[in-house]
Amino acid sequence: MPTESNHDIRAHEQDLLRLLEFNPQQGYIGLGGRRVMLMRSETFEGQRAELIEELGAERARSLYSRLGYADGTRDAGLAQQQRPDAALDEAFLVGPELHAVFGMAAVETVTIKTGDQQQSFYGEFLARGSIEADAHQKVYGLAPEPVCWMQSGYASGFASAFVGSPILFREVECMAMGDEACRLVGKPLAAWREQDPDAAYFHPLEFVNRFEPAEIQAETSDVEAALGQRVVGISAAFSLIMSRLKKVAPTQATVLLQGETGVGKEVFAKTLHRVSANPDGPFVGVNCAALPADLVEAELFGVERGGFTGAVNSRPGRFERADGGTLFLDEIGTLSFSAQGKLLRALQEREIERVGGTETRPVNTRVVAASNIDLFQAVEEGRFRRDLYYRLSVFPLQIPPLRERKEDIPLLMEYFRQKYTARHGIAAIGFTPQAVAGLMNYQFPGNIRELENMVERGVILAAGASLIGLHDLLGESELQQYLLTSKFDESSEQGPMERFTALLSADVEALPDIKQMERVLIDLALQKSGGNLAAAARLIGLTRRQFAYRVAQGASPGN
């Protein structure tokens, strides 16, 4: 397909081309700090055809849709950074322009309506020269239905992350069907569902991303309880974990979940139980770190009357209570060596003895263990039994931290918004674009648990407002962390002082608006104070709270 010369490219696309970096000596091509690669169209054509033949058209479509969605989510953050002062409609066009830069298709805007409320979003685009349509036609000829799956997924992911609410783009015309161009129409997910479309292609598996109220109400009357047990994500890292979880779920194999604090290990354990061969059996969870050292064995294996001082009644332990189901042992690395030895025997023999008892009791309990420390390192340091480690790690799953699966952040934000608007009875229909962009740039040391707390706080603080802003989400500790991990505006060749001086000396016919002045002034104050909020506030005559509010509103480093 012929390309436009640089002279023909619109001026506002030049900023995107400047993001491209070619370094043949290092074997590196980059776009906006992310590594990319060139792929021949014949290679893509062969890859796509083989996936369709191996997986079937439905699974291949789901895979390509999710890959496109994740890519669009990442590019939405880039759009906010590249054009922070542009009107919402103009900044939104970064998505279609990036799609063209990557050689996927030349995109023409038919109409775009972002509006003040997410529920009024409407977008319609024409894509000409689609590489997906071309690849499909070369192998299969004319298609009976639209085939530009990555393109639809990309548009959906970009719009959802950019607007701050779930947006679904559907391809209603396709060049592979003989149409002149591919036509994509995007509307809020709720608006499509009124027409009963099939949005299932964005679910990596049948039990993932099922948190729409209508879907939950069809399964259970306890919507809030169900919302606490859902796994949500669309990134490649998340999809890999869920694929492995689905494979091990029907077996009786012991599973070891490892990951940082707050990544959601218990939610993954509950999901594993829910899709296991015994979903109706009990799920019993225990935090090993919360058990007193002298009562660990009694809690796990039970106790007979008189087994120790104060044991006036016999009672079953967690293993017996989980018989026929799943026992979740969280923070297993805190168990004493004595308890580790008895746990090893229970796993090997599938039987236990109560404390103070002599009777051996068989148990049919599937054990899922979890740890936020590296158990192998603990073994090497002599803090954990080697034989127990190998017994537990029959099927290890390493859950990645949220900072390594940022494509999942907009979906998780929407999930928690629905959860806490239902719990607190507060109407908040979505997030501002600045809120989504801000959290996409945040490092989340507390992982998903921290994000959940932020969204609950935002729902409460935004009561009476339709949209949740970044200032509603970030508390003082998170805001300080945000400033420490964010970068000052390095896309500009000038520092804050030079930018401020340039604005003041600008021609009277082209004076900047007050938002530009405020952003540069805040950047300058933060730079001079080394990121200290209180000191920066004093420099420009504001209280710390006033200053923090302005930073969270969007006048912040790198925003």
Side-chain angles (χ1 to χ4, degrees), residues 91-101 105-109 125 154 158:
F92 186 90
L93 294 179
V94 170
E97 290 162 10
L98 278 172
H99 206 57
V101 167
V107 183
E108 173 189 329
T109 303
F125 298 89
Y154 179 92
F158 183 89

Side-chain angles (χ1 to χ4, degrees), residues 174-222:
C174 183
M175 294 179 67
M177 298 168 61
D179 294 313
E180 182 181 345
C182 301
R183 185 180 298 270
L184 292 102
V185 175
K187 295 189 291 188
L189 192 58
W192 281 118
R193 285 222 165 109
E194 291 171 3
Q195 301 173 25
D196 193 30
D198 186 2
Y201 297 107
F202 298 104
H203 303 299
L205 295 167
E206 63 274 11
F207 53 88
V208 175
N209 296 339
R210 302 287 183 179
F211 59 87
E212 288 294 320
E215 291 181 338
I216 295 175
Q217 287 167 1
E219 300 175 17
T220 176
S221 59
D222 193 346

Side-chain angles (χ1 to χ4, degrees), residues 216-491:
I216 295 175
Q217 287 167 1
E219 300 175 17
T220 176
S221 59
D222 193 346
V223 175
E224 185 181 333
L227 276 171
Q229 302 173 11
R230 302 288 155 153
V231 282
V232 177
I234 204 164
S235 65
F238 173 82
S239 297
L240 177 62
I241 289 292
M242 297 315 300
S243 176
R244 291 177 175 174
L245 185 145
K246 183 182 180 182
K247 289 178 180 178
V248 74
T251 73
Q252 285 296 310
T254 302
V255 176
L256 176 61
L257 302 174
Q258 294 198 98
E260 296 177 6
T261 297
V263 295
K265 293 184 285 292
E266 185 168 359
V267 174
F268 280 93
K270 288 180 176 178
T271 301
L272 177 64
H273 172 71
R274 187 156 54 91
V275 298
S276 71
N278 300 307
D280 297 326
F283 177 91
V284 178
V286 56
N287 187 332
C288 299
L291 298 176
D294 55 345
L295 294 179
V296 169
E297 294 176 29
E299 285 293 324
L300 292 181
F301 308 115
V303 61
E304 292 289 4
R305 181 179 179 181
F308 56 81
T309 303
V312 295
N313 294 305
S314 297
R315 59 181 174 84
R318 306 298 176 99
F319 263 91
E320 288 181 76
R321 287 163 53 190
D323 191 31
T326 302
L327 175 62
F328 175 58
L329 300 176
D330 198 8
E331 298 194 55
I332 196 168
T334 62
L335 288 178
S336 67
F337 263 80
S338 173
Q340 289 178 32
K342 293 194 174 183
L343 175 59
L344 175 64
R345 182 178 183 279
L347 291 173
Q348 288 176 331
E349 307 299 332
R350 291 190 171 273
E351 59 185 28
I352 55 98
E353 285 184 11
R354 291 180 178 178
V355 175
T358 57
E359 179 185 353
T360 299
R361 300 170 183 267
V363 287
N364 179 27
T365 303
R366 201 251 188 91
V367 172
V368 178
S371 175
N372 58 12
I373 64 170
D374 186 336
L375 286 185
F376 183 77
Q377 183 179 346
V379 168
E380 294 298 302
E381 295 173 355
R383 295 183 288 113
F384 198 80
R385 290 183 61 130
R386 188 177 297 273
D387 48 5
L388 178 58
Y389 170 75
Y390 287 116
R391 176 61 64 176
L392 289 172
S393 60
V394 173
F395 201 93
L397 286 174
Q398 184 72 35
I399 302 173
L402 188 54
R403 63 182 174 274
E404 293 179 7
R405 40 179 288 213
K406 288 196 170 185
E407 305 94 312
D408 297 334
I409 289 174
L411 267 181
L412 286 163
M413 291 172 69
E414 174 61 16
Y415 165 61
F416 291 130
R417 182 195 67 80
Q418 292 196 20
K419 177 179 178 178
Y420 288 108
T421 52
R423 172 176 294 183
H424 300 305
I426 296 174
I429 65 171
F431 301 88
T432 64
Q434 292 80 8
V436 180
L439 294 198
M440 289 286 285
N441 288 324
Y442 186 65
Q443 293 303 304
F444 286 102
N447 289 295
I448 293 176
R449 185 180 298 140
E450 183 180 13
L451 174 60
E452 180 174 6
N453 292 341
M454 283 183 178
V455 175
E456 182 176 15
R457 178 195 305 135
V459 167
I460 295 170
L461 290 177
S466 58
L467 300 179
I468 301 170
L470 185 60
H471 60 284
D472 298 317
L473 297 167
L474 296 180
E476 292 201 2
S477 60
E478 291 94 352
L479 183 57
Q480 192 70 47
Q481 179 71 22
Y482 178 73
L483 292 172
L484 289 172
T485 55
S486 297
K487 295 181 179 179
F488 291 95
D489 190 358
E490 295 177 348
S491 62

